[in-house]
Amino acid sequence: MSENLAPIGPPARPDQIINSNEDETMSEAQNLKNPTDSGASDSDSGDEAADNLQLQTLEAELSTNPANYDAHVQYIKALRKQGEIEKLRKAREAMNALFPLSPAMWQEWAKDETSLSTGNDGFPAIEKVYERGVLDYLSVSLWCDYINFVQEYDPSVRECSPAGTSKARNLFERALTAAGLHVSWGSKIWEAYIKFEQAVLHAIDETDIESREKQVQRIRNIFHRQLSVPLADLKQTLLTYKAWEAEQGTTLDVHSSNLDGISSHVASAYQKALEMFNARATFEEQVSKQDLPDSERLQQFMNYLSFEESTGDPARVQILYERAITEFPISTELWLEYTRYLDKTLKATRIVRDVYHRASRNCSWVGELWVRYLLSLERGHASEREISDVYEKATQCTFSSFDEYLNIFLTRVDGLRRRISFAGEVTDGLDYALIRDTFQRASGYLSQQLKNTESLLQMHRYWARLESNLANDFVAARGVWESLLKSRLRISANSICKIGIVLISMFLYNCYLIFCSGSMLEAWQGYIAMEIEKGHINEARSLYRRCYSKRFPGMGSEDICHSWIRFEREFGTLEDFDHAVQKVTPRLEELRLFRLHQESTTVATFADQKENALNKNAREKRKAVSEVIDEQSPAKRQKDTSQTSKKVFEKDKAQVKSSVETNKMENPTATDEDLRNFFSDVGGVESIRLLKDKYTKKPRGLAYVDFSDDAHLSAALEKNRQLLLGKRVSIARSNPKQSKKRGSAGHGTSTEHGLSLSLSLSLRACVHACLLTGHFTGDTRHDSKASVHISEGTRGDDNVQLKGKNTFAVPRNVRPLGWTSKDKSTLKPKPEGAVEGGDEAPKSNDEFRKMLIKS
């Protein structure tokens, strides 16, 4: 949107710049006035058909995509070329309704209308076009066109009537405020102003000495003001001023730029202005270079702006920002910096609000600008209607992220809340219903796009608090939380269905529950916190009962359980506390086993990868030896084979020996005595059995320990995950009675379903228990393949029956002392002296995994 102005120094004369494109523009305007006199011939018929086709294409494009800026520009050019006057006016209005027009487009529009007008009837409409144009961007040439138009076509101004003179002076002062500080081209407006005042002087009767003296002083004051402004042609302005003073009878050297004869205050202001210009000359030269890339020119403007801001003159900073905006109207960075500077310096003024209005039209896709715009209106105490209009426009824009929409919604709510809370009384049509409507609109639009995000949760928390505190509607506040929880579950369930996951086992179903509930932990916590804050203890307890059994990510499930216990400790009765403990304890145990399984899967995967890598290296070594042998002659190959085999055997033997020694050092074997010492602080140990491999007779890293009573058993359970010989051990309870219950459960009942779920959880936990306790042994091969069965009651059963002896870490293929298996459904005591021939063989790790999959 450049004004096509020449670079700085030496500046062109004002009339040269104002009329630089006059001939071309007026020629095109003449075509608008007489479109049939353009000398059409047969050779032009083809061009006319092409132009019509172009118009149809552009019209179709704009009907489907009215926001196409370039299509608007091309359409206006095509209509202007063909002289379609009415269509051209409508096209310009349609474009300006969506976008600001460049200074050149406003100049074309005004001059086209001027060429089409007859007499003074069209003057107001053309003046209005100029008024609209100077508000979009800073343009010295557009201001000069406007001034010239008024001087030429306004009879009162042309005749220098008092009313006309006052109108012209107001227009000149507005132009000076807008562009008089433009270092390169501001002098054009100053010179036009002086010429106008000189014309007024000549219109005053020579006999009216007093009026003429006042007018002379008016002209002198304008000269003095101009000489105090750092402009490009400041020295030439001094010479012009001295020549004018000489005409008024003052003795001055009109051919010299010295300050002799000039009043001291004018001379001092001139010297300061000259120094200021010299400090800015280099910056002006850089930003005036049209051959630089846009990015580099923009950076030059930013450097210039940094310099101006350091001088502390807001007026000069603002006009430089306006110059940069004219050159780079869709630079987000530029508009953000400009508005930020105005907020800091001018704060709540009409100027700031007008700049925000223009910024939102140039960069409508920047949500931050709309947010600041709303805040600026609030600072300026704008009416609710004006704020509402801006808010509605913002919500209709297209932004790069949905968080920007959310920020606009929340900014609107913030403003309404502040004005309702601190106004003392509801005025200007303000009502809490506006806040509720904004939240509902935001929730309906953003719930899908911002699902499972912290920002959506924060919005609902804010909403619920306002419903409770500002609207005093606690039922509505609960409704906010309930709608969030239901919408999240519905969204997650729909997502599962879209992915196409089939729930083929209870394990997958548990994963599904985790997925659906994973993002709701904070929502539940916020809901509960609101109830507690209001003293609604029973309602908060009801929420805990609803959510403690849900699956949450990370340690969220454990956190909600512990939170319930803390809640009952602080607010509940003893019965409430006991009930919470009864519900939470089995839930925490279930979660512990689930996490053990996850950890064991990771460890097993790592071990398999390591073993595969070792096997791969061994195969590569054998392959390399084989290739060398193949290349040798038969006789030498036989000889070398014997020697090589011997060397390889000795080397492998040494490696195996070293590996065994290393394993022994890394994994010390635990003995009976070690286990007795480990449980010495507990006491009550009756017997210890270390399990060994059936074939190698080496320790498998598993053991079970019998205790005398429940008290010693409970104390031993507390040592779970403690260190033994530098390794952590996993301790779990075995209850043969419960295994019997599983075997005898009927089919097709709810009990069977609960046992199946509990059994699968137990099996998963057993794997991890084996891997942890496997650190006892020195044979890592068998440690990683041990399997353990840990009996478990039904899910949610708090009353585990403990009778007789209790066993720790019982392996799957070994029964407790005094028990045998006669069939799959019953367990009976084994007669003394019976042979243990019926026990199943030890299961490898792979076999155990297959069993787990089948189950």
Side-chain angles (χ1 to χ4, degrees), residues 541 545 564-569 572-586 798-799:
R541 180 177 294 113
R545 290 172 179 172
W564 187 8
I565 297 298
R566 287 195 301 271
F567 167 80
E568 296 297 357
R569 178 181 292 115
T573 64
L574 179 59
E575 290 75 13
D576 295 327
F577 180 80
D578 291 340
H579 178 76
V581 171
Q582 182 182 13
K583 291 292 185 180
V584 164
T585 301
D798 301 280
N799 301 316

Side-chain angles (χ1 to χ4, degrees), residues 682-841:
V682 173
V685 176
E686 291 195 347
S687 64
I688 297 176
R689 289 188 60 184
L690 292 175
L691 303 186
K692 297 183 179 181
D693 186 89
K694 183 176 181 180
Y695 302 102
T696 64
K697 305 303 180 182
K698 292 182 179 181
R700 297 179 56 191
L702 305 175
Y704 69 83
V705 182
D706 289 340
F707 286 87
S708 59
D709 51 41
D710 290 351
H712 291 91
L713 171 65
S714 300
L717 285 172
E718 298 297 327
K719 296 180 68 67
N720 183 39
R721 306 288 293 175
Q722 293 187 11
L723 294 178
L724 173 61
L725 301 181
K727 303 295 182 180
R728 294 192 183 276
V729 292
S730 178
I731 305 173
R733 174 169 38 212
S734 176
N735 191 346
K737 296 282 186 183
Q738 296 287 27
S739 298
K740 182 176 180 180
K741 289 181 181 179
R742 285 196 193 89
S744 60
H747 296 284
T749 66
S750 60
T751 304
E752 178 188 3
H753 178 76
L755 287 172
S756 299
L757 175 61
S758 179
L759 179 59
S760 64
L761 290 173
S762 299
L763 290 175
R764 292 199 299 272
C766 293
V767 176
H768 185 75
C770 300
L771 294 175
L772 286 178
T773 55
H775 291 305
F776 287 153
T777 182
D779 189 348
T780 57
R781 228 170 9 136
H782 295 287
D783 295 343
S784 62
K785 296 181 180 179
S787 60
V788 174
H789 173 71
I790 303 175
S791 300
E792 186 79 356
T794 59
R795 183 174 182 177
D797 185 6
D798 301 280
N799 301 316
V800 179
Q801 299 297 324
L802 300 174
K803 296 182 180 180
K805 297 181 179 179
N806 299 281
T807 306
F808 281 85
V810 182
R812 187 177 182 85
N813 61 310
V814 179
R815 299 300 179 188
L817 292 176
W819 291 85
T820 185
S821 175
K822 291 188 177 181
D823 54 49
K824 295 183 179 180
S825 61
T826 61
L827 289 173
K828 295 183 178 180
K830 179 179 63 175
E832 294 184 6
V835 181
E836 298 184 72
D839 290 344
E840 57 180 323

Side-chain angles (χ1 to χ4, degrees), residues 42-94:
D42 295 339
S43 61
D44 297 333
S45 59
D47 294 339
E48 184 177 355
D51 292 341
N52 290 333
L53 179 61
Q54 182 189 22
L55 281 176
Q56 294 175 3
T57 303
L58 291 170
E59 287 172 353
E61 168 62 21
L62 290 174
S63 64
T64 57
N65 186 13
N68 189 332
Y69 183 91
D70 292 333
H72 280 286
V73 174
Q74 295 302 320
Y75 186 48
I76 290 172
K77 285 184 178 180
L79 291 173
R80 195 164 188 262
K81 180 180 179 181
Q82 291 197 0
E84 296 281 353
I85 299 173
E86 291 303 322
K87 282 189 174 182
L88 178 59
R89 285 174 178 153
K90 292 180 180 179
R92 281 169 167 160
E93 291 290 354

Side-chain angles (χ1 to χ4, degrees), residues 400-451:
S400 59
S401 71
F402 289 101
D403 282 329
E404 291 184 274
Y405 287 103
L406 178 60
N407 200 12
I408 289 171
F409 285 124
L410 293 180
T411 302
R412 169 65 168 162
V413 170
D414 295 342
L416 290 170
R417 177 189 60 79
R418 284 188 288 263
R419 286 184 290 154
I420 292 175
S421 300
F422 304 111
E425 59 181 11
V426 177
T427 58
D428 199 17
L430 294 179
D431 186 77
Y432 182 79
L434 292 173
I435 293 179
R436 182 176 293 140
D437 177 71
T438 304
F439 273 125
Q440 290 174 344
R441 188 174 177 184
S443 177
Y445 182 66
L446 298 175
S447 291
Q448 286 283 347
Q449 286 74 18
L450 296 179
K451 60 183 179 182

Side-chain angles (χ1 to χ4, degrees), residues 217 220-221 223-225 227-228 241 245 259 261-273:
Q217 188 59 40
R220 181 176 290 113
N221 290 339
F223 267 120
H224 290 174
R225 288 169 60 191
L227 289 171
S228 66
Y241 168 62
E245 285 286 7
L259 299 175
I262 305 295
S263 62
S264 60
H265 72 278
V266 175
S268 175
Y270 171 80
Q271 288 288 5
K272 182 178 179 181

Side-chain angles (χ1 to χ4, degrees), residues 198-213:
Q198 287 176 338
V200 173
L201 176 63
H202 292 144
I204 299 176
D205 191 279
E206 293 185 358
T207 60
D208 192 351
I209 304 299
E210 183 179 357
S211 296
R212 289 182 65 85
E213 288 180 353

Side-chain angles (χ1 to χ4, degrees), residues 2-38:
S2 174
E3 300 179 37
N4 297 321
L5 301 180
I8 184 175
R13 298 296 300 165
D15 54 344
Q16 293 175 326
I17 297 175
I18 294 175
N19 300 318
S20 60
N21 297 322
E22 184 81 15
D23 295 339
E24 179 182 355
T25 303
M26 292 308 296
S27 175
E28 293 178 353
Q30 187 65 27
N31 289 338
L32 285 175
K33 191 172 184 178
N34 301 300
T36 59
D37 297 339
S38 57

